[in-house]
Amino acid sequence: MSTCQLVKTNNGDIMQDAIAYVRRSTKGENSQVHSLETQKNEITKYAKKNGIKIISCFCESISGTIENRPEFMKAMKEAKKKNLPVISKSLSRIGRNASQVLKIIDSVQLIITDYGRAVDSDFLSIMAIVNQMEVKA
């Protein structure tokens, strides 16, 4: 995997560009009403603290077990085209189907704010299986 695009801020610090993705599981009006905003806030806070510039944010209300989610597909397309990581609050927001998430881990860099940058793809792979098991529980 090649390196991500870096830009300098006004004070000379280097920032990494990223694509944000937030998702809530259901379309119900009252269900998880604060979930999307909470995720956006956490991603923004993490990004500021870690020198990440969010250049696009994709949001949707759809089950993570569905592979072809419209906004997620747009986020992935942009991330691949611009060679940027996708940042999300939780790996479960990326998806709940382990085989799908494993393919994603192999195709783009993921930054998961719940885990930070210190985790590798092996850890994310294990957590993808755990997330799939949670759906079945």
Side-chain angles (χ1 to χ4, degrees):
M1 186 162 301
S2 54
T3 60
C4 297
Q5 182 177 352
L6 300 176
V7 296
K8 288 192 176 188
T9 63
N10 291 338
N11 65 5
D13 292 338
I14 294 179
M15 294 188 78
Q16 176 183 26
D17 287 353
I19 309 297
Y21 177 73
V22 297
R23 177 186 65 78
R24 66 178 179 180
S25 299
T26 59
K27 292 184 180 183
E29 242 180 82
N30 294 323
S31 180
Q32 301 178 356
V33 70
H34 300 293
S35 178
L36 294 176
E37 207 55 46
T38 300
Q39 290 176 57
K40 287 180 194 176
N41 290 339
E42 180 150 340
I43 290 169
T44 300
K45 181 179 171 183
Y46 181 91
K48 285 180 182 177
K49 183 178 179 183
N50 291 279
I52 298 169
K53 178 183 173 189
I54 305 300
I55 64 164
S56 298
C57 184
F58 296 87
C59 309
E60 61 191 336
S61 297
I62 190 169
S63 172
T65 60
I66 298 171
E67 187 168 349
N68 293 316
R69 293 169 272 139
E71 293 301 304
F72 183 71
M73 300 305 288
K74 290 177 191 174
M76 290 295 293
K77 183 178 179 180
E78 183 172 344
K80 289 177 183 179
K81 180 180 177 184
K82 296 180 178 178
N83 192 31
L84 297 174
V86 173
I87 184 170
S88 192
K89 180 194 178 309
S90 166
L91 188 61
S92 67
R93 302 301 85 201
I94 298 297
R96 291 285 194 170
N97 178 311
S99 63
Q100 173 197 0
V101 175
L102 293 175
K103 289 177 194 171
I104 294 164
I105 291 169
D106 284 341
S107 67
V108 299
Q109 179 189 3
L110 295 177
I111 300 171
I112 306 299
T113 65
D114 283 351
Y115 306 136
R117 289 186 167 174
V119 300
D120 62 10
S121 61
D122 292 335
F123 176 82
L124 292 177
S125 298
I126 291 168
M127 295 312 297
I129 295 167
V130 170
N131 288 336
Q132 180 175 305
M133 292 171 64
E134 286 178 350
V135 171
K136 295 179 179 181

